Amino acid sequence: MIVELKQAASGADIERVTALLNGEFRTIKALEFDGRRFLGVSGAREDLDPGAIASHPAVLATSQNDATTYFTRRSFKDLRTEIAIGERRLGGDDMLIIAGPCTVEGPDELWRTAEAVKRLGVHAFRAGAFKPRTSPYNFQGLGREGLAMLGTIGKEFSLPIVSEILDPRDVGLAEDHIDVIQVGTRNMTNQALLKAIGGSKLPTIIKRGSSSKLDELVRAAEFVMYGGNPNVALCERGIQTFENATRSTLDVSAVPVLRRTTHLPIVIDPSHAAGERAYVEPLALAAAVVGADALLIECHVDPGMMIKPGDGPQALRPDDLEALLEKIEAVLRSVGRRLAPRL
Amino acid sequence: MIVELKQAASGADIERVTALLNGEFRTIKALEFDGRRFLGVSGAREDLDPGAIASHPAVLATSQNDATTYFTRRSFKDLRTEIAIGERRLGGDDMLIIAGPCTVEGPDELWRTAEAVKRLGVHAFRAGAFKPRTSPYNFQGLGREGLAMLGTIGKEFSLPIVSEILDPRDVGLAEDHIDVIQVGTRNMTNQALLKAIGGSKLPTIIKRGSSSKLDELVRAAEFVMYGGNPNVALCERGIQTFENATRSTLDVSAVPVLRRTTHLPIVIDPSHAAGERAYVEPLALAAAVVGADALLIECHVDPGMMIKPGDGPQALRPDDLEALLEKIEAVLRSVGRRLAPRL
Amino acid sequence: MIVELKQAASGADIERVTALLNGEFRTIKALEFDGRRFLGVSGAREDLDPGAIASHPAVLATSQNDATTYFTRRSFKDLRTEIAIGERRLGGDDMLIIAGPCTVEGPDELWRTAEAVKRLGVHAFRAGAFKPRTSPYNFQGLGREGLAMLGTIGKEFSLPIVSEILDPRDVGLAEDHIDVIQVGTRNMTNQALLKAIGGSKLPTIIKRGSSSKLDELVRAAEFVMYGGNPNVALCERGIQTFENATRSTLDVSAVPVLRRTTHLPIVIDPSHAAGERAYVEPLALAAAVVGADALLIECHVDPGMMIKPGDGPQALRPDDLEALLEKIEAVLRSVGRRLAPRL
Amino acid sequence: MIVELKQAASGADIERVTALLNGEFRTIKALEFDGRRFLGVSGAREDLDPGAIASHPAVLATSQNDATTYFTRRSFKDLRTEIAIGERRLGGDDMLIIAGPCTVEGPDELWRTAEAVKRLGVHAFRAGAFKPRTSPYNFQGLGREGLAMLGTIGKEFSLPIVSEILDPRDVGLAEDHIDVIQVGTRNMTNQALLKAIGGSKLPTIIKRGSSSKLDELVRAAEFVMYGGNPNVALCERGIQTFENATRSTLDVSAVPVLRRTTHLPIVIDPSHAAGERAYVEPLALAAAVVGADALLIECHVDPGMMIKPGDGPQALRPDDLEALLEKIEAVLRSVGRRLAPRL
């Protein structure tokens, strides 16, 4: 249960409301978003008296006692959330492009890819330093060293950096080096990680678990917001279905559904859904036309050189990406939108 | 196995090749498409001698012995298939719109809906006379009477009619009254029906089974083509996944995948995937941008009046459809296409 | 809506109740099961007045107006349905074994396999004459000739015959030659076929569609019962999931779920779920222990000789089947059941 | 790639082999299991020379260069792995029962439940102190305090304790208080956690992700073994399918499949698959008959008192469990097995 306090609520008021909320197998927590103050209740709630709580003079509003989401819901605020990513805003009118290689490998290709995507007007650079992999024998990423390398690149090219972390202990490291945390599809239900990120203010993109309902994705974001971090975006990256012609099945209806149910920005990753270069373009255009706030696109100066097994087959070369961006721009224009201006 | 005969192959040649193909648990059949002649082999094939067959002087080409599709494949012909639907062509450069109510109910609404969609420039009218339903207690459609009613409407408004049949015995009836047979999602694996339609030349749109791989959809079309009917189109209408925010999950990658693997026209039904009016627009735009050849859209002059339980919640009113067509036109223009001219 | 009439209801009463039920877009039908009389309503039901109908003096009971099943439900009768299969009863205390080859191929192997399974005490013989196949180039079965061959075998060995039909036109043929119709997994939603079978009294086993909910399977049976045929059994044969170590995933919970929701006999086909000989035994034992009424097991005297591609890899040899039956007998004993006595 | 060294390999040999293995984007690691010594290679492997490595005199065997599993595979060792759980062995001839409540709530019910299951001869006690939950507003468990409480209970009743951890930082805590770590279904792909557990020797049961292939489950175990911890068991607990009559669909074929592909013990959790008390018995019996090494069963002295929302509806009362254990014993006997003797 969430209780929103009135602006005038005093410390003594809050103590009294907290007393009403307290009880066995329950924890109470204070939160503040945009100057609005809340008390959150986690745990056993059956013996709460919602009427008494709602009618307390310091209480502005309360959630349903059994609500599983609150802060992430469309009804929570008037406007959609906008998250500053460098000088651009994710969730604003304009679409952002986040591009880069799957993995931080050598500094040379990384540098050249960053240079190329910067030249194309991409708004953030993504690459993985911590890689959750199919097998322990695959390349696990350069880890801390890779994250630091990304930090350097970001400064050099004035490109905000998006990168994944896997371990709750690495949130501080992310704060030191990068601009946006990515929670990968394998970790959407890793609640220790979500809670740790909730303790930061770093913008975070949560990828949908490959077999997770949209409601579950939103609840993953609720864990982060309930931790105190309002800068959360949701990413559809293809779901696991029986179809195997594409690596995953991109669920484009995720965008209109999430726009209706939440106020959070919505990112689409056409590359991982496609699993193959040739399908990235149609999926990216579909994402643009249904209203995605940003695209996350794999790009590498030389996909053939990527460490194998890896995502080389789905990575666009900078030339491909340039052509795609032109098409995206045209499609966006046809629905009254545009790409955010280049940095 | 499929054997393509040379143009010069004589009747005696064909007899000799047929003799090479004959054998136990095997049937041989002659087919002709676009002046090209084929012998098809169905059944046990292990004792065939592909080398001997391929090297026969009357033989132009043979399929792999274990191929499960041949006539539907991209490699079968140089050009994509175009199917005449009234005066327009499904599979040509321009996109077609097929619209109408889920079900033939009273003649009055049907007439008014046909009038409305005709006025909007829709290229074919769809409505169901034979309805496969969730339960025997739901309205099962007006059957033969409904099909005849559709035939009358088609003539009155010069609108080609698309309608579903469920029973192999009704193919002749379809030939009498309508222009395009629809094989519904529940019947994609109904091979008795597919084979019966293969004996006709009536254009046929096969809807993907809600849990069928694209390969299985193509094989359903192969059953029809192997029956002798080349006028087959494929329709993606949403697949069954774990997600339940939409009725089905529209697999937009079906379009680029099928364009690569087959030469058949590809139709998208955004209405059944959405299950809800508000999601039809984004899905229709996504379908337009990825290259669908036609859209199949539910439209009714008064969705609230439709027999319940039914597809009322997903049906667009003519005004909604008009607004949608304008947006589709804009999106198509942005990718260098357009809607086919109005009739 | 279903209306059960009182025993005393006269013809005039029935006319009056029918008048209450009549209306636009609605059909009324009279049914009789076990001496109980019913009127069924199919179609638009919103303008019905359930109160007026229920309170009519000739009416014993009515279903919920929006119920999608009635005759198949557990609440419809006191006892579970038992269907006579030859001299044994499917759905009684004892478990039945139905075995035989996937496909009717040559008369010789068929004869020898029937002889072998008869010797092992199997209670019915199954083989396919009409084969729905992956591709039109696979062996489509011997059709009418195969069904007749099965009829002969059945008489020769006093073995009830179970075989699939695909076409509503073949119900009469089935009545002439075989004892139990099988509706295959690809045709569970083929309502033209289900309705045609509803017009017969021949026992029918409906296989669950490979992506169908149990509720949908029960509704398929409702179509048959609403047609007037009460002799329906349900068959779980593995469902399509993301797992591919087995061909399908056998849903053993189907048995307790269906025992709770319906009164119909429940058959398990471990062979098609397994897709591989080695997994048939554990799945068959699991089926026995959860309470299946019968098992449908592929058996062939010489699986290596079966026409390819086919189900050879999953077919048990008679020796394997004999060993399996002993284990099944032991497992059944441990839960207080047994195999039905041999014929 | 994995390289097994000969017994006679000297330190100098190992250095030489390591030199052959070294390279860019690659890490080398030494492992030892049962006195056998290995070098493991993780990362880019394309420039390795398998021939040179395999022919080095100190090398006994090498894996395929692209193998994704090695230590978990059936071929790795002659015998199936047995893991000591208290005085019993998981993976031995006899089946173990692990039972207890979903969640550590108050000490009183926990104590009484432990007492009850101990009396019934259960071999280990399970309860959750760290709870991954649907929503942040549900009870998240007592955490460290709960784990300590479990440790006390374990000592008091001489019951090995099985409990879940969610955070890599809690492995040491688990070592202090409990006997077996559970990796929950939501964390099967949490590789930071798996790697941390790999650094311990504590027995670990990994639950299959609810949409994970068995191969993925085995690879999760490979992460733990590659970390150096050989005491891993696999747990099937129901997979997410389209069916919703049960909470999940128990995949009983997981047992024969995993017995063929791995040497690791296999646990079945019928309670979470069922989601409902009435279905636990048939699923448990099915698990017993297909060869599971242990069952994980929810049991609570008073399910109605459990904190809501929770797993109360699926928890057995001690009396139910007692009756179930008798049936399991009978079914095991019928296939030549038994429950492990009571502690």
Side-chain angles (χ1 to χ4, degrees):
Chain A
M1 179 187 258
I2 299 293
V3 173
E4 180 162 6
L5 299 164
K6 290 188 182 157
Q7 290 298 341
S10 65
D13 284 332
I14 296 177
E15 271 175 40
R16 268 176 241 116
V17 178
T18 304
L20 284 174
L21 298 176
N22 262 331
E24 206 183 13
F25 303 118
R26 201 145 67 218
T27 55
I28 315 299
K29 137 172 224 182
L31 290 107
E32 192 173 328
F33 290 119
D34 297 326
R36 298 163 63 187
R37 288 177 303 162
F38 305 88
L39 293 172
V41 181
S42 177
R45 297 183 301 263
E46 295 214 313
D47 58 331
L48 284 175
D49 178 349
I53 299 161
S55 61
H56 188 281
V59 168
L60 183 65
T62 63
S63 72
Q64 296 293 316
N65 197 13
D66 59 353
T68 57
T69 51
Y70 184 82
F71 296 111
T72 52
R73 273 147 81 162
R74 195 75 192 82
S75 54
F76 173 62
K77 40 190 285 199
D78 293 332
L79 300 173
R80 294 187 70 222
T81 287
E82 298 187 12
I83 302 173
I85 306 278
E87 297 165 34
R88 298 289 169 262
R89 299 187 78 76
L90 174 61
D93 292 334
D94 301 336
M95 183 187 253
L96 303 190
I97 303 293
I98 305 165
C102 176
T103 307
V104 176
E105 300 183 349
D108 180 54
E109 277 101 349
L110 195 69
W111 199 271
R112 289 196 291 131
T113 303
E115 199 168 29
V117 302
K118 171 77 181 187
R119 190 181 48 78
L120 299 177
V122 155
H123 309 94
F125 187 62
R126 57 144 285 168
F130 295 100
K131 299 297 301 176
R133 299 302 302 267
T134 302
S135 142
Y137 307 115
N138 293 350
F139 180 53
Q140 312 285 305
L142 293 179
R144 300 175 146 257
E145 180 197 344
L147 220 59
M149 207 186 286
L150 284 169
T152 307
I153 293 254
K155 286 195 196 71
E156 179 68 26
F157 292 100
S158 299
L159 268 174
I161 300 293
V162 179
S163 195
E164 178 168 6
I165 62 167
L166 309 176
D167 193 311
R169 288 168 291 196
D170 291 332
V171 173
L173 192 70
E175 289 173 332
D176 291 345
H177 293 298
I178 64 174
D179 302 277
V180 182
I181 292 174
Q182 178 181 303
V183 174
T185 192
R186 286 183 173 88
N187 285 293
M188 192 204 86
T189 55
N190 178 344
Q191 296 177 4
L193 181 61
L194 296 171
K195 288 177 177 178
I197 292 170
S200 171
K201 297 289 182 197
L202 212 56
T204 299
I205 296 173
I206 306 178
K207 288 190 149 187
R208 182 182 190 178
S210 64
S211 294
S212 299
K213 291 190 177 68
L214 292 169
D215 275 354
E216 296 172 285
L217 173 58
V218 173
R219 286 200 297 262
E222 187 81 16
F223 273 96
V224 175
M225 287 195 75
Y226 190 61
N229 184 347
N231 302 310
V232 196
L234 307 172
C235 178
E236 158 66 27
R237 43 75 73 202
I239 56 175
Q240 174 174 280
T241 67
F242 53 84
E243 180 58 64
N244 52 14
T246 43
R247 188 159 71 174
S248 303
T249 299
L250 188 71
D251 178 10
V252 290
S253 30
V255 178
V257 169
L258 291 174
R259 276 183 171 258
R260 176 192 288 188
T261 57
T262 88
H263 53 80
L264 300 172
I266 305 156
V267 181
I268 293 268
D269 174 349
S271 303
H272 281 84
E276 183 176 338
R277 201 167 294 129
Y279 298 142
V280 173
E281 176 183 310
L283 297 185
L285 298 183
V289 94
V290 295
D293 294 301
L295 298 181
L296 200 55
I297 301 177
E298 286 214 2
C299 178
H300 191 281
V301 281
D302 189 352
M305 289 298 293
M306 289 166 65
I307 295 175
K308 291 173 192 65
D311 288 336
Q314 78 201 26
L316 300 187
R317 288 173 202 86
D319 284 0
D320 305 327
L321 181 58
E322 186 167 17
L324 174 58
L325 293 183
E326 272 175 40
K327 291 185 182 173
I328 290 172
E329 188 78 79
V331 164
L332 285 174
R333 218 160 25 226
S334 78
V335 290
R337 295 180 70 209
R338 59 168 195 171
L339 285 174
R342 45 188 313 142
L343 294 172
Chain B
M1 179 187 258
I2 298 294
V3 173
E4 180 162 6
L5 298 163
K6 290 188 181 157
Q7 290 298 344
S10 66
D13 284 332
I14 295 177
E15 271 176 39
R16 268 177 241 118
V17 177
T18 302
L20 283 174
L21 297 176
N22 262 331
E24 205 182 15
F25 302 118
R26 202 146 65 219
T27 54
I28 314 299
K29 137 172 223 181
L31 289 109
E32 192 171 327
F33 290 119
D34 297 327
R36 297 162 64 185
R37 288 177 301 161
F38 304 88
L39 293 172
V41 181
S42 178
R45 298 184 302 262
E46 295 214 316
D47 58 331
L48 284 175
D49 179 350
I53 299 161
S55 62
H56 188 283
V59 168
L60 182 65
T62 64
S63 73
Q64 294 295 314
N65 196 14
D66 59 353
T68 57
T69 51
Y70 185 82
F71 295 112
T72 52
R73 271 146 84 161
R74 196 73 193 82
S75 54
F76 173 62
K77 41 191 284 201
D78 293 332
L79 300 173
R80 294 187 71 221
T81 286
E82 297 186 12
I83 302 174
I85 306 280
E87 296 166 35
R88 298 289 169 263
R89 300 187 78 74
L90 174 62
D93 292 334
D94 301 337
M95 182 186 252
L96 304 189
I97 303 294
I98 306 166
C102 175
T103 308
V104 177
E105 301 183 349
D108 180 53
E109 277 101 349
L110 196 70
W111 199 271
R112 289 195 293 131
T113 304
E115 199 168 28
V117 302
K118 171 77 181 186
R119 188 180 51 76
L120 298 178
V122 154
H123 309 95
F125 187 63
R126 59 143 285 168
F130 296 100
K131 298 299 299 176
R133 299 302 302 267
T134 301
S135 143
Y137 307 115
N138 293 349
F139 181 53
Q140 312 285 306
L142 294 178
R144 299 175 146 257
E145 180 197 345
L147 220 60
M149 207 185 287
L150 283 170
T152 307
I153 294 254
K155 284 195 198 71
E156 178 67 25
F157 292 99
S158 299
L159 269 173
I161 299 294
V162 179
S163 196
E164 179 167 6
I165 61 168
L166 309 176
D167 193 313
R169 288 169 290 198
D170 291 332
V171 173
L173 192 71
E175 289 173 331
D176 290 346
H177 293 298
I178 64 174
D179 301 276
V180 182
I181 292 174
Q182 177 181 304
V183 174
T185 192
R186 286 184 173 88
N187 284 294
M188 192 204 87
T189 56
N190 178 345
Q191 296 178 3
L193 181 61
L194 295 172
K195 288 177 178 178
I197 292 170
S200 171
K201 296 288 182 199
L202 211 56
T204 298
I205 296 173
I206 306 177
K207 287 190 151 187
R208 183 182 188 178
S210 64
S211 294
S212 298
K213 291 191 177 66
L214 292 169
D215 276 355
E216 296 171 285
L217 172 59
V218 174
R219 287 200 296 260
E222 187 82 17
F223 273 98
V224 175
M225 288 196 74
Y226 190 62
N229 184 346
N231 302 311
V232 196
L234 307 172
C235 178
E236 158 65 27
R237 44 75 72 202
I239 57 175
Q240 174 174 279
T241 67
F242 52 86
E243 180 57 64
N244 52 14
T246 42
R247 188 158 70 174
S248 303
T249 300
L250 187 71
D251 178 9
V252 290
S253 30
V255 178
V257 169
L258 291 173
R259 277 184 171 257
R260 176 192 287 187
T261 57
T262 88
H263 52 81
L264 300 172
I266 304 157
V267 181
I268 293 270
D269 174 348
S271 303
H272 281 84
E276 183 175 336
R277 202 168 294 129
Y279 297 141
V280 173
E281 176 182 310
L283 297 185
L285 298 183
V289 93
V290 296
D293 294 301
L295 297 181
L296 199 55
I297 300 177
E298 285 215 2
C299 180
H300 191 281
V301 281
D302 190 352
M305 290 297 293
M306 289 166 64
I307 295 176
K308 291 174 192 64
D311 287 338
Q314 77 200 26
L316 299 187
R317 289 173 201 86
D319 284 0
D320 304 327
L321 181 58
E322 185 166 20
L324 175 57
L325 293 183
E326 271 174 40
K327 291 185 183 174
I328 290 172
E329 189 78 80
V331 165
L332 286 174
R333 217 160 25 226
S334 79
V335 291
R337 297 179 69 208
R338 59 168 195 172
L339 284 174
R342 47 189 310 142
L343 293 171
Chain C
M1 181 189 257
I2 299 294
V3 173
E4 179 161 7
L5 299 163
K6 290 189 181 156
Q7 290 298 341
S10 66
D13 285 331
I14 296 177
E15 271 176 38
R16 268 176 241 119
V17 178
T18 303
L20 284 175
L21 297 176
N22 262 331
E24 205 182 14
F25 302 119
R26 202 146 64 219
T27 54
I28 314 299
K29 139 172 221 181
L31 289 108
E32 192 173 328
F33 289 119
D34 298 326
R36 297 162 64 185
R37 288 177 303 162
F38 305 87
L39 293 173
V41 181
S42 178
R45 296 184 301 263
E46 295 214 314
D47 58 332
L48 284 176
D49 178 350
I53 298 161
S55 62
H56 188 283
V59 168
L60 183 64
T62 63
S63 73
Q64 295 295 314
N65 196 14
D66 60 353
T68 57
T69 51
Y70 185 82
F71 296 112
T72 52
R73 272 147 83 162
R74 194 74 192 82
S75 54
F76 173 61
K77 41 190 285 200
D78 293 332
L79 301 174
R80 295 187 70 222
T81 286
E82 298 187 11
I83 302 173
I85 305 280
E87 297 165 34
R88 297 289 168 265
R89 299 188 79 75
L90 174 61
D93 292 334
D94 301 336
M95 181 187 253
L96 304 189
I97 302 294
I98 305 165
C102 177
T103 308
V104 176
E105 300 183 349
D108 180 53
E109 276 100 350
L110 195 70
W111 199 271
R112 288 196 292 131
T113 303
E115 199 169 29
V117 302
K118 170 77 180 187
R119 190 181 48 77
L120 298 177
V122 154
H123 309 95
F125 187 62
R126 58 144 284 169
F130 296 99
K131 299 298 300 177
R133 300 302 302 268
T134 302
S135 143
Y137 307 114
N138 292 350
F139 180 53
Q140 312 285 307
L142 294 179
R144 301 175 146 258
E145 179 197 345
L147 220 60
M149 206 185 289
L150 283 170
T152 307
I153 293 254
K155 285 195 196 73
E156 178 67 26
F157 291 100
S158 300
L159 269 174
I161 299 294
V162 179
S163 197
E164 179 168 5
I165 62 168
L166 309 177
D167 193 313
R169 289 169 290 197
D170 291 332
V171 173
L173 192 71
E175 289 173 331
D176 290 345
H177 292 299
I178 65 174
D179 302 276
V180 182
I181 292 174
Q182 178 181 301
V183 174
T185 192
R186 286 183 173 88
N187 285 295
M188 192 205 85
T189 56
N190 178 344
Q191 295 177 5
L193 181 63
L194 296 172
K195 287 176 177 178
I197 292 170
S200 170
K201 296 289 183 200
L202 211 56
T204 299
I205 296 172
I206 306 178
K207 288 191 151 186
R208 182 182 189 178
S210 64
S211 294
S212 299
K213 290 191 179 66
L214 291 169
D215 275 355
E216 296 172 286
L217 173 59
V218 174
R219 286 200 296 260
E222 187 82 16
F223 273 97
V224 175
M225 288 195 75
Y226 190 62
N229 184 346
N231 302 310
V232 196
L234 307 171
C235 179
E236 157 66 27
R237 44 74 74 201
I239 56 175
Q240 174 174 280
T241 67
F242 54 84
E243 180 57 64
N244 52 13
T246 43
R247 187 158 71 174
S248 303
T249 299
L250 187 71
D251 177 9
V252 289
S253 29
V255 178
V257 169
L258 291 174
R259 276 184 171 256
R260 176 192 288 188
T261 56
T262 88
H263 52 80
L264 300 172
I266 305 156
V267 180
I268 293 268
D269 174 349
S271 303
H272 281 83
E276 182 175 338
R277 202 167 294 129
Y279 297 142
V280 174
E281 176 183 309
L283 297 185
L285 298 183
V289 94
V290 295
D293 295 301
L295 298 181
L296 200 55
I297 300 177
E298 285 214 3
C299 178
H300 191 281
V301 281
D302 190 353
M305 289 297 293
M306 289 165 66
I307 296 176
K308 291 172 194 64
D311 288 337
Q314 79 201 25
L316 299 187
R317 289 173 202 88
D319 283 0
D320 304 327
L321 180 58
E322 185 167 19
L324 175 58
L325 293 183
E326 271 174 41
K327 291 185 183 174
I328 290 172
E329 188 78 80
V331 164
L332 285 174
R333 217 161 24 226
S334 78
V335 291
R337 296 180 68 210
R338 59 168 194 171
L339 285 174
R342 46 189 311 142
L343 294 170
Chain D
M1 179 187 258
I2 299 294
V3 173
E4 181 163 5
L5 299 163
K6 289 188 182 157
Q7 291 298 342
S10 65
D13 284 332
I14 296 177
E15 272 175 38
R16 267 176 243 119
V17 177
T18 302
L20 284 174
L21 297 176
N22 263 330
E24 206 182 14
F25 302 118
R26 201 147 64 219
T27 55
I28 314 299
K29 139 170 221 181
L31 289 108
E32 191 171 329
F33 291 119
D34 297 326
R36 297 162 64 185
R37 288 178 301 160
F38 304 88
L39 293 172
V41 181
S42 177
R45 297 184 302 262
E46 294 213 316
D47 58 331
L48 284 175
D49 179 349
I53 298 161
S55 62
H56 188 282
V59 168
L60 183 64
T62 64
S63 74
Q64 296 293 315
N65 196 14
D66 60 353
T68 58
T69 52
Y70 184 83
F71 296 112
T72 52
R73 272 149 79 162
R74 194 73 192 84
S75 54
F76 173 62
K77 39 190 286 199
D78 293 332
L79 300 174
R80 294 187 70 222
T81 285
E82 297 187 11
I83 302 174
I85 306 279
E87 296 165 35
R88 299 287 169 265
R89 301 187 76 74
L90 173 62
D93 292 334
D94 300 337
M95 182 186 253
L96 304 189
I97 303 294
I98 305 166
C102 176
T103 309
V104 176
E105 301 184 349
D108 180 53
E109 277 101 348
L110 195 70
W111 199 270
R112 289 196 292 131
T113 303
E115 199 168 28
V117 303
K118 171 76 182 188
R119 188 180 49 77
L120 298 177
V122 155
H123 308 94
F125 187 63
R126 59 143 284 169
F130 296 100
K131 298 299 300 178
R133 298 303 301 269
T134 301
S135 143
Y137 308 115
N138 293 349
F139 181 52
Q140 313 285 306
L142 294 179
R144 300 175 146 257
E145 180 197 344
L147 220 60
M149 207 186 287
L150 283 170
T152 307
I153 294 255
K155 284 195 198 72
E156 179 67 25
F157 292 100
S158 299
L159 269 173
I161 300 293
V162 179
S163 197
E164 179 167 7
I165 61 168
L166 309 175
D167 193 311
R169 288 169 290 197
D170 291 331
V171 172
L173 193 71
E175 288 174 333
D176 290 346
H177 293 299
I178 63 174
D179 302 276
V180 182
I181 292 174
Q182 178 181 303
V183 174
T185 192
R186 286 183 173 89
N187 284 294
M188 193 204 87
T189 56
N190 178 345
Q191 296 177 5
L193 182 61
L194 296 172
K195 287 177 178 179
I197 293 170
S200 171
K201 297 289 182 197
L202 212 56
T204 299
I205 296 172
I206 306 177
K207 287 190 151 186
R208 182 182 189 178
S210 64
S211 294
S212 298
K213 290 190 177 68
L214 292 170
D215 275 355
E216 295 172 285
L217 173 59
V218 174
R219 287 200 296 260
E222 187 81 15
F223 273 96
V224 175
M225 287 195 75
Y226 190 61
N229 184 347
N231 301 311
V232 197
L234 307 171
C235 179
E236 158 66 25
R237 44 74 73 202
I239 57 175
Q240 174 174 279
T241 67
F242 53 85
E243 180 57 64
N244 53 13
T246 43
R247 187 159 71 173
S248 303
T249 300
L250 187 71
D251 178 10
V252 289
S253 30
V255 178
V257 168
L258 291 174
R259 276 183 171 257
R260 177 192 286 187
T261 56
T262 87
H263 53 80
L264 299 172
I266 305 156
V267 181
I268 294 269
D269 175 348
S271 303
H272 281 84
E276 183 175 337
R277 201 167 296 128
Y279 298 142
V280 173
E281 176 183 309
L283 297 185
L285 298 183
V289 92
V290 296
D293 294 301
L295 298 181
L296 201 54
I297 300 177
E298 286 214 0
C299 179
H300 191 281
V301 280
D302 190 352
M305 290 297 294
M306 290 166 66
I307 296 175
K308 291 175 192 62
D311 288 337
Q314 78 202 26
L316 299 187
R317 288 173 202 86
D319 283 0
D320 304 327
L321 180 59
E322 185 167 18
L324 175 57
L325 293 182
E326 271 174 42
K327 290 185 182 173
I328 290 172
E329 188 78 80
V331 164
L332 285 175
R333 217 159 26 226
S334 79
V335 291
R337 296 180 70 210
R338 58 168 195 171
L339 285 174
R342 46 190 310 142
L343 293 171

